[in-house]
Amino acid sequence: MEQGFRACLLVATMLAGALTIVPAARSATPVEKKTGAEQKKQGDAPAPRAEEVSVTGRTARTRAPGGGLMRVETATKAVQTITRDFIAKQSPTTNIQQLLRMLPSANVQDQDSYGLFSGATEVRGLDQTNIGWTLDGMPLSDIGGGQFYSNEVLEAEDLETVSLQPGSVNLDSPVVSAAAGLVSATMSNPTHTRGGLLDISFGSFDMTREFLRLNTGDIGSSGVRAMFSFSHTQANNWRGPGMADKYHYDFKLIKDFENGSHTGLTVSYNDQVNDSFLNPNLAQYKANGYSNNYLPYYTGVNSNGTNFYKLHVNPFADVVAVLPTHVVVTPDFSIDDTAYFWHGIGNGTGASLLTQGSTYYGGQPAAIDLGAKQAVALTPSNQEQFRPGNTLKFNYRLGSHHQLTAGWWYEYANLLQYSPVSYVNQVTGEPANIWGVSSLYQLPGGQPWKYRNFLSLSQVNMLFIGDSMDYFDKRLHIDLGFKEAMMTRRIYNYVPNTVYNRNLSASEPLPQVGISWNFDRRNQIYVSGATNFKMPQNTSLVDYYSNTSPAQTQRGGASAPQYSISEEVGYRYNGDLLVGSISFFNYNFTNRQLSLSFYQNGAPYSQTVNAGGQTSRGVDVQLATRPIWFHLRPYVAFEYLDARIDNNLAATGTLHGKTVNDYLPTAGKTQIESPKVQASLGLDYDDGSLFAGVQLKYTGKQYATFMNDSSIPQFITDNVNVGYRFHSVGFMKSPQIQLNMSNLTNAKLRSGIYTFQTNANTTTGVYGSTVKGGLPAYYLQVPFTAVVTISTGF
């Protein structure tokens, strides 16, 4: 593999040497239009009216509303889509989550500017484990906890569109736990003509990046075309020691048949090693601000030595593959089948200080030979996941009014998670193996010491049936759908003194309905209703023990799945110049599931917290124009959200010197991570040669505790881009140079909640007990960052 990396880098370097002028990352060919049938197959909204493209001399200039931050939509539900026009002008390191930032429903929190680290995304106050994430029809989120790692999926140059459907999913979407909605990403299709694209980028914090894409074009008369891309990105951490190093490959093949059938293959492979950031709690942030980091040097065998940055590395490699097939049987009957596979392996590393004679396994003493009185050991949180599945769908048009759909989604996922104890060089602090799969300490019986070690088997069966109806010359459109989602988790814990097997099964009927009325081609109203459920994280079923004491750190047990009902009513105006939408929404939750992140031995873990009932109401607004004065395309978005906790939450307190069960008085409090107001302002200029844009996002105050006694103040983020497209020269097609900048004011602030708490201050419970508080931890705003990208098609 290393030789392949070097070969790709050599090609990129040779081509870069031939460039005299450089461009930004974007497609070298016009975007291919999809038919309505193709869009429905991929899970997109029904096909909007085609965008106009004006050709002036050598340059095709798009008229996408808001510079690509908004698309004309006609679905019977809220859909917010970002198109290639916007994606192409962002830094090519940008990941899918970061692209969502300007949407009214999305609250995006970064760890870095380059998309090399996964951050967090909330939609209408629901965290990313409540979002369904898909690429070309396959699910991307972790099957165990629902986490999504946006830094591992698809490079920006290969990304065609990203659509957010807040509050609902499509009938055939292969996702569960998606009360917040669906994010659908589509990879760009290979072009019909042979060619490619080359990018070279460099920026702040010693960031360098090379990208190369090759298109085969149509291969003879076979109906086959393919593309392959490679990229390598590395950058120093903007805060503290360490760096991130990423190799990424994308591949897509399409085979077209004369009768309209087609099949293909999409593959995305990522191999990455990141030195982790330390996300400080409130006390650490108040004391040291941005100086809270892992140590750049090793202090020896002591508790502080475990904070050496080389003991907090995040290596991970994963591959996703999807094989979508559309078979036209008759003009009225077709079959869609989407087979997929995901494999991932890696960890989030941490470290422990071990003492001879005080080592434990399953709560019992374990005579581990440390070779000294004390030793620093690598104690990562490892996982390996296999996730195969398939979605089969039958489509039948009955007369002129009905489009019937029926299908089955099946998935069987295997997830092994363990925490090994691995050797560290006690003089240098260097771990023997950052992956934590070798050089492990041995238990007295000779087996490797893994103080956490369990297997999760998750099986999903979802049957769905629906009917899309058109009446009154297609002015009235009705979508009716029903799916029965059946999911089972089986946990096998291999650590002694734990419950070996726990199972959790759920079967939920999930109806959905959407109705729209088109007054004319410009004005539309819609009403939608949807249901969803979320299984508790697999880790919630597991018993944990410490490796340095007999303490049981978590007692696992089954908890009830989250269930939600959402309603929405909206209006759209799709004019020739102005495009706008407004949607009013309401959610009701029972057994609201929240994903709690925490550190154990310095390694990141997460578990499910049941936050009881919740009611959320609000409104989303989007407005954008096609080019007006001097090629300007403004965009504005706004959200008001009122998310309330419906009941008092269980807590443990102290009363008359005894530990008692109590409740915190949280009923009526604002839910965590739910800013009441978010607002976006974007402005794009593009005359075909010179282009520039600015994006501003305001995020209101958001709480980090259920008691609302700790919060992040409101803040504003900013991004600016400017670039120029040149005439083609020789083999270089439309060479381009581009500059992207973020946080121009170099503001320093807390930008997101990494770990929430029930209460920050000591609180009196409903029954009079004293409930101690805890300290939330935070993401920090990345300082000023600039990236220059040069690129050319060929």
Side-chain angles (χ1 to χ4, degrees), residues 648-649 651 653-654 662-665 707 762-771:
N648 296 326
L649 299 181
T654 302
D662 204 339
Y663 291 87
L664 287 170
M707 282 299 299
T762 299
T763 304
T764 301
V766 172
Y767 298 134
S769 71
T770 300
V771 182

Side-chain angles (χ1 to χ4, degrees), residues 6 81 127 173 203 205 216 223 236 244 325 349 357 393 407 423 516 652 711:
R6 291 177 177 173
T81 300
D127 68 25
S173 298
F205 314 113
T216 66
N236 291 334
T325 301
T349 53
K393 182 174 66 169
Y423 285 100
S516 67
T652 300
S711 63

Side-chain angles (χ1 to χ4, degrees), residues 124 126 130 167 179-180 530-534 561-568 585-593 612-618 642-647:
R124 294 177 176 173
L126 303 176
N130 282 276
T531 54
N532 215 301
F533 86 109
K534 182 182 190 302
Q562 170 185 291
Y563 189 82
S564 64
I565 301 174
S566 62
E567 306 92 20
E568 192 158 24
F585 56 87
N586 179 75
Y587 295 86
N588 292 101
F589 295 88
T590 55
N591 298 311
R592 170 79 162 89
Q593 303 288 331
Q614 179 178 324
T615 301
S616 300
R617 298 185 175 97
D642 184 22
R644 298 285 178 174
I645 303 172
D646 291 341
N647 50 273

